[in-house]
Amino acid sequence: MRNKSVVTESKQIQLAIELVNLGARLQVLEAETNLSRERLLNLYKEVKGVSPPKGMLPFSTDWFMSWQPNIHSSLFIDIYRYLGKNAGLSGIEAIVKAYRLYLEHVEVNNLESVLSLTRAWSLIRFLDAKMLTTVPCTECGGYFVVHAMDLHRGYVCGLCHVPSRAGKTRQAAAAAAVSAGAALKLPAPALIGSKLRVAAARVS
Ligand SMILES: [Zn+2]
């Protein structure tokens, strides 16, 4: 029994370190491990060299609705669901693996990672709580994050209907989405990717 608890604790510490390295806020560590707040605080300081930011998580569901965050969030969900369906992953393990894949493609293409790990984690919680959901775009068929309580008949995504104020960031978002979709060979991101190429071509 004693051995088992040591192994369990060691796994919890490893997970906490991994989450801190990926930029998780303290609230995420508290929710996903059984370690005490004091231990997590010390661990955070040891890994990061600074104390964690104080206060509540500032994130509301509205953030996921703005143009670029919505595309990155929708892609993250696609990766997350793909891992759940094909690799049998769930919970924090699926979030961490999906987030690493998301980051990898953003970094390889030297682009800005719009979605932080804490936001990705919040996104899954909002989906689980049925505050957010995904619906297919009636034009491209890709699945996008939406407010669960809104009406979605005839939904058209932000790629098929690019807002004019999306500005120059849309090309970066487009490239990130294309690379993520292409590398993973998922139906939805691939579809989103092809749409983004069209959107990027219109811009240039
Ligand atoms: Zn669309």
Side-chain angles (χ1 to χ4, degrees), residues 8-29:
T8 305
E9 194 184 4
S10 150
K11 279 184 181 163
Q12 297 264 303
I13 291 168
Q14 293 232 319
L15 172 64
I17 291 171
E18 188 172 20
L19 289 170
V20 171
N21 277 325
L22 285 172
R25 293 277 300 266
L26 195 65
Q27 287 92 333
V28 179
L29 307 181

Side-chain angles (χ1 to χ4, degrees), residues 60-81:
S60 78
T61 53
D62 290 339
W63 183 85
F64 300 98
M65 295 305 121
S66 48
W67 193 80
Q68 203 179 13
N70 188 261
I71 292 162
H72 282 244
S73 302
S74 301
L75 274 166
F76 174 79
I77 288 298
D78 271 330
I79 300 169
Y80 174 82
R81 285 180 177 161

Side-chain angles (χ1 to χ4, degrees), residues 42 64 77 95 127 135 149:
N42 288 332
F64 300 98
I77 288 298
I95 293 174
L127 283 159
V135 293
M149 300 302 280

Side-chain angles (χ1 to χ4, degrees), residues 1-11:
M1 280 304 280
R2 188 166 171 80
N3 265 346
K4 199 179 174 188
S5 76
V6 169
V7 171
T8 305
E9 194 184 4
S10 150
K11 279 184 181 163

Side-chain angles (χ1 to χ4, degrees), residues 137 140 144 157 160:
C137 168
C140 68
F144 291 83
C157 76
C160 294

